Amino acid sequence: MPVNYLELQPQITAMGAETNLRQAELEARLKQCRSLLDQHNDDLIGLQRMVEEAVAQKKILRCAAPVNEPLKTHVPCHLPASPCTILAADGSQIIPSAHESVLFGLINVGVFRIQPGSGNVPSEITNSTLLYGDDLYVNDQPPSEDLIGLLRDVRERQLLAQLAQQEPWPVIALTDGQLELYHQPRNQESYKDKFKDYLKALDDLAVSEVITAGYVSRPRADLVVNMLSLLAGAEPAATEARPFAGISDITLLGSILQPGERSAIFRLQSSSSAEYSGKKALHFFYLNVGTASMPAYARVEMPLWVVEEPESVNLLHSVLVEQARQAGSVPYPYPLIRAHEIAVVRMDERQQLTAMIERELLKRGVDVKRQSEKQFHKGHRARTRRSR
Amino acid sequence: MTLNDKKPILQADDPQNTPIGYVIGGGLKANLFVRLTRPAHEVQEGGFVVLESGNWQFYGLVTDLQLGAVDPRYAEIQNRERLSAQVSQLLASQTLYTNLEVLPALMLERGPEPGTEEYEKWRAALTEEPRPLPIKTVPTHHAVARLASAGDVAEIFGVPGEGANFEIGRTREQDHPVCIDLEKFVQRSSGIFGATGSGKSFLTRIILAGLIKHNTASVLVFDMHNEYGFDDTASDTGMPVVGLRTKFPGRVIVAGLGRGAHIRQHNPDFHLEFNESDIQPEDIEMLTRELNLRETTPTTLEALVQTFGPERWFHEFKHMVNGAVIENDEGKKVPAPESVAYWANQAGVNPMAAEGLHSKMSRVFNLPYIVEDDPNQKISVNSLRHIIEALKSGKHVVLSFGDYERDLDYLLVSNLLTRKIREAWEEMTNQYRGKDGAEPRPLVIAVEEAHKLLNREMASQTSFSTIAREMRKYYVTLLIIDQRPSQIYDEVMSQLGTRVSGWLGDENDIAAVLSGLAGRDALRGMLARLQPKEEVLLLGWGVPMPILVKSRRYDQAFWDSLLGKESRRDAAQSLKELGF
Amino acid sequence: MNPIPIGRLLRANTTGCALGCKVTQGSTPSFGDMVIIPLTNQNKIYGLVYDIHIDDDGLVNQLAAADISREIIEDNRRNRNVPVEMSVAFIGWEDPQGRVHHTRVPYPPLTLDEIFQCDDEEVRKFTQNGSFGYLRAVLRNPELPVVDLVTAHLRQILAARSGIDAGQALEASLVEVIAMLKDDYPQMMDVLSAVSEIL
C-alpha cells in the first residue's frame, strides 16, 4: 500500500529538529568522554579493578576491559603480511516453512581458502546439511530462525576446525560477525546443546592453534565507552541514565586510528563471559582498513589464545588490512566476501532442492502437498519469467 | 546434383512424359498460367502442351512466357558477389521463375487409372467413346503440365494415313506428326497466308498434292505464275521444284491460256480460249478499276445487251469504230453508222460515255484468247467445257496463265471460269437434290493473289465472293493463297474454315488471319514470330485447335512418303504409259 | 555427449531456457552449438546456444579498481565462473523410443541435472531425416540473432557430416531457409551471404 507521505512530512520535520538537539547533546558527551579517555589512558590496573568490582556487584555489564595496552594505543600494520593460510567461512540457511510444499531446512556453509603471496589458486569448499525429521521438531515445534542460525554458526566453526587441521601453521580462521553468539532463547535445551557444540569447535580451533577471529564491519559497539561511563558512576546497563549514550567506540577512538592501524586490545566483558572461559575468553580490537580520506572501521573479536601470541595478533592485523584493501573501494576482507558468495543459496537453487526432495518423496509414494496459497501468491511477484 | 532435381516432385501419369510445370492460375476467358519447372529454353511459344487434371486432360498452346520473381529484388539485384555459386543457384531456383501462358483449346475425358475398379465403372457408364471437346472448364490448381506426346497429337489431330488424315508438319518440340483432315478441309473455304518469301507456294504444293492424292475432291488451280503445273526452280536456292503434273501424270491436266501457249518450255495438255459470247457485262464491270471505267459503264453495257442480246453485244461492240464520222448531206460531220456514237445516239446512251468505254475496252478486245464464236461452236466452248468435264470426272486442272501475267488477265479469266463452274455445279446440285442425279464431286478452287479478286471493292462483283460465301452448299470451296490477307474482304475471311499461316509482319494482316475466331488474340504475337519457311500456324474451324508446326519439306522424302517409292519414275515414262 | 557443468536453471519454457554455467574457457560451448538436455521423463530436448554472456559482477567491478594479488586474480579466473549465462533456443526433442521430433517441446526442463554438448553422432541423428523445418522456429523468432545462429548451426552440420551427405544436408537446409525467408529480402540476403562465407 502506498505510504502516506503527506502525513509523514511534519513528522520528518520534527525528527530533523530533534536530531539537531541530540547532536549538540552528543557533542557535549563526547567531549566529556574524551577527557576521561585522556585522563585514564594509562590507568589500566585501575580500570581493570573497576570492571571486576562491577561484575562482583552482579551489575548487568557489557563493556571493555583493558589488557596491557594504553587506551589510546594505535598500532600500524606491517605489510606485506607474512605467509599464512586464510580460511574464511560464511553460512546461509533455508528456514523450514509450513507454507512450502515440503518441510525441510538447509544449512549451507561455504569456506574460501587462500594463501596470499603463494601463487596458489584459492579454493572453495561447500558443506550442505539438510534438516529433516527430528531436526524439524524441537519441543514439538518447527525450529526458530534463531536456532537455525545457531546451528549455522556451529557448522561454520566446526568446518573451520576440521579444515584447519589439514593446514600447516599459521592458519587464520575468519568468520563474519562476532565470535560471541547472540541468539535467543538461551534457556532452552536445544540451545544449550548447540552452544556446547559451538564451544567445542572453538576448543578444537584452540588446540590446532588456529588464529580464530570474527570480523565485524561498521561496528556500533560502545564497549569502551561503557567502560568509561563506569567511571562516571553510572549503571552501564540503564540506557536512559547512561551518561554517554549515543557515543560509539568508533566515534571516540576512530580519529586515533590511521589507515591500517589497530587500537589497543580489550577484553570483552559480558553476561556470557563465564561461558567463554579460559583460552576462549573473548577479546577485541578496532581496525581502520580504509584510507585517509575514507576511513573504514572494523571490530575484530578473537579468543585469548590468539591474544597471548603477539605474532598471531600482528599477523591477523596485517592480513586483515591487506585483504580488506584488496576489495577495492569498499574495504572488506576479500576472503569473507567470497565465503559469503559460496555459502549463499539462491532462489533457483532452493527451488531445485525442493524439486529434488519432492521427486524423492513422490518416488516413495509420499503425497507432496502443494504450496500454501499465500506462498503461491507471494511467489508470483518474486519470480521472473521469460517473455514468451 | 542439378538444380532441377530439387524441384517439387511432379509426376505425369505416363512416366515417359517429363512434366514441364504445373498450373497456377488463369481461367477460361483469359489464358491459363503454368509455372515452369524446366529450364525456359525447353519450351517455346507455340508449344503444344497437355494439362493433366484428374480424369480430364486439357490441350493448349503456349502463347507467352513471362519471367517472374517472388520479390522483384531477387530478379533485379545480382548477388554473385555476395553469395557462393551454389547458394546463388539454390536461391534462384526458389525465387525466380518462368510462367507460361497457355491458350486452352480442348479437353478430353480419360477416366480414372486404367486397371482400377473406378476405371471399369467409368467405362461401363460411357455411352460413347470420349472425344476431345471444346474447352468448357478449367484444370485444377497444380495440374501437371507436360509437352504433348505422339499419342496426344494423334488423339487430337489424327493418325497420319488413317482416313483423310494428311500430315502437314510436325510439332516443333518433339517432332510428332500433325495432320489435317482433308475431308473437313474441303468442306469449307480455307486459306494459306504468309508474307512474301515465307514459303506459301511450297505449302500450297504440299496441300494440293495431298488433295490430289486423296482424291475425294477435284482441284482447279489458278496458277498465275506458272508454279504448280510443271517443274519449277526455287527462287532462293535455285534447286529444282517438282511439278504436280510430273508426280500425278494422268490425273493432273495443265491448261494453258490462249492458243500456242508454252508453259515453262512445255506444251500444256490443252489450250483455253473463250468465246466472245461468254463475256457478260459483269465480267467487264469487274474490271472497273483495272480499266479505269466510269460510273456510266453499267448503263452503257446494259444498253448494249439490250440492243444486241447477251451473246452478241461483245462482238458487235468490238467491231464498232470509235470516232468514225461521215459527212452527211449538209456536209456536216456526223457519226458513221458503224461508229460507237451512232449506236449510242440510237440507244439513248451518252455518246461520250460509250466512246470512252469502247476505247478503254480495247485491251479486252485485243485479248487473243477471246475468240469469235465459231458457228460450229466447237473449239473454245469445248475447251471451257473440257475443263469442266475434266473436273467433274475426277481430274485436276492447273490453269497456267503462261505469258499472260497481267492483273487484267487474271481477273477476267478466273472470274469467267469460276462463273461457268458455279453455274455447272449449281445445276448438278439441284439435280442431285431433286433425286435426279449423282452427288456432285466436290471442287476446290485454289486462287493465288486472292486479294486482287476478293478485296472489298470487288467483293460484291466477282463470283468468288459468292463462292466463298455460299458455294459450299454446292460443293465448291475456295483455297485462298495470299500475302495480304488484310486486303481481303473480311466477310470472306471470316468464312474461311482452316487457315494455314506462315510468318506475317503486318499488324493488319495478322488481325485479318485471326478474324472471326473468338479469343485468339493470344496468337497475334505468335504469327509475327514464326520462323519463315520453317513454321506455320494452323487454326480455324478445320483444325481441332490452333497449333504451331514445322512445315513439311517439299522434297523427295515427301513424295516418297506420299506416293511410295514408285513415284520416282521418270515423268516422261509415266506419260508414255498413259498414252500421252 | 560432452557434459557441460551447470550451476542453475534460470528460466525455462517450451521454446527455450537460460542457465547459469560454471564453465571455463575450455569447456564452454560455442555460440550456435547444439546441446542436449535430458529430461526426467526420458525425453531429451535439443537446443541451440544463442547467447553466452557474463553477467555484471559487482565484486569484479570493485576489484578492478584495486591493486589485486595474483591469488585473487587466479581466484576470479578459476573459481568465480558462475555468472556465465547461456541462453538456449529449443529446436526439437526425442521421445523415449528414440524418435526425433522437430516440433515444439511438450514441456520445458523443470530441474536441470545435466546439459550436454552434442557430438557429431548426435548432430547427425537430429538432422538425419533430411527435413530442416525446425529452422522455422529459429528464423521466425525476433529475439534470436538469426543470421549468425543459422550460419553457426550449418557450419556444425557440415562438420558433423562428410562428403555427399554433407552436401545434401546443406542443400536441404538451405532450401528450407530460402523457402521461409522468401518474403523478407533483407534478411534472406543477410543469412545467405553469411552462409556463403562458410562454404
Side-chain angles (χ1 to χ4, degrees), chain A residues 92-100 102-107 131 136 142-150 152 350:
Chain A
S92 67
Q93 62 275 345
I94 294 178
I95 313 292
S97 162
H99 296 293
E100 290 287 341
V102 190
L103 198 64
F104 74 95
L106 177 75
I107 290 177
L131 303 175
L136 300 181
S144 66
E145 205 160 332
D146 276 345
L147 183 58
I148 295 198
L150 171 58
R152 189 202 68 219
R350 181 190 181 136

Side-chain angles (χ1 to χ4, degrees), chain B residues 380-418:
Chain B
S380 62
V381 168
N382 273 348
S383 65
L384 191 58
R385 182 169 285 169
H386 188 123
I387 290 182
I388 292 175
E389 288 309 314
L391 291 171
K392 276 192 194 173
S393 69
K395 300 262 200 295
H396 310 276
V397 177
V398 177
L399 174 58
S400 283
F401 282 67
D403 297 327
Y404 300 105
E405 289 194 317
R406 299 168 303 169
D407 285 358
L408 176 69
D409 302 305
Y410 193 55
L411 290 173
L412 185 60
V413 171
S414 29
N415 193 49
L416 258 176
L417 187 48
T418 312

Side-chain angles (χ1 to χ4, degrees), chain C residues 12-199:
Chain C
N13 63 20
T14 51
T15 54
C17 68
L19 26 106
C21 295
K22 196 169 184 142
V23 292
T24 61
Q25 209 74 19
S27 71
T28 318
S30 312
F31 175 85
D33 273 359
M34 198 184 289
V35 293
I36 277 190
I37 303 171
L39 297 183
T40 51
N41 56 7
Q42 312 300 323
N43 288 342
K44 290 182 194 162
I45 296 177
Y46 289 83
L48 295 179
V49 175
Y50 71 87
D51 183 50
I52 306 172
H53 70 260
I54 312 276
D55 274 339
D56 233 353
D57 183 341
L59 179 57
V60 170
N61 277 340
Q62 254 183 284
L63 289 179
D67 227 334
I68 45 185
S69 68
R70 239 183 332 162
E71 292 78 31
I72 290 180
I73 292 174
E74 280 302 301
D75 179 43
N76 277 279
R77 189 180 294 157
R78 304 279 193 91
N79 297 329
R80 295 190 71 248
N81 285 327
V82 173
V84 169
E85 186 177 314
M86 214 162 73
S87 300
V88 176
F90 297 157
I91 52 175
W93 57 286
E94 185 182 312
D95 62 27
Q97 286 77 42
R99 285 183 301 233
V100 169
H101 305 265
H102 286 173
T103 54
R104 188 183 268 234
V105 309
Y107 18 69
L110 298 171
T111 66
L112 208 55
D113 293 327
E114 338 164 273
I115 178 174
F116 299 88
Q117 233 168 324
C118 288
D119 56 30
D120 286 352
E121 180 57 44
E122 285 155 339
V123 171
R124 278 194 288 269
K125 182 177 182 184
F126 186 77
T127 58
Q128 77 188 5
N129 70 357
S131 140
F132 288 86
Y134 65 86
L135 290 175
R136 188 177 48 235
V138 171
L139 289 168
R140 297 248 188 268
N141 184 343
E143 287 177 27
L144 300 182
V146 168
V147 173
D148 299 323
L149 189 58
V150 168
T151 308
H153 177 55
L154 290 180
R155 192 193 267 125
Q156 186 175 28
I157 293 178
L158 273 182
R161 302 162 90 130
S162 57
I164 296 179
D165 188 50
Q168 277 179 339
L170 180 70
E171 199 161 308
S173 59
L174 282 177
V175 165
E176 192 71 44
V177 166
I178 291 171
M180 269 182 261
L181 291 182
K182 255 193 242 199
D183 295 323
D184 188 342
Y185 182 82
Q187 185 161 52
M188 168 83 90
M189 295 313 286
D190 283 347
V191 172
L192 290 185
S193 49
V195 170
S196 289
E197 283 172 33
I198 65 166
L199 295 180

Side-chain angles (χ1 to χ4, degrees), chain B residues 289-329:
Chain B
R289 184 133 61 106
E290 187 62 27
L291 298 175
N292 200 16
L293 304 176
R294 296 285 172 80
E295 311 84 60
T296 50
T297 306
T299 323
T300 314
L301 291 171
E302 175 68 25
L304 281 165
V305 172
Q306 284 280 358
T307 312
F308 300 105
E311 303 202 338
R312 295 288 304 168
W313 73 270
F314 186 80
H315 179 84
E316 294 302 322
F317 195 45
K318 179 173 171 179
H319 291 286
M320 286 183 198
V321 181
N322 220 1
V325 289
I326 52 168
E327 279 191 12
N328 71 355
D329 310 321

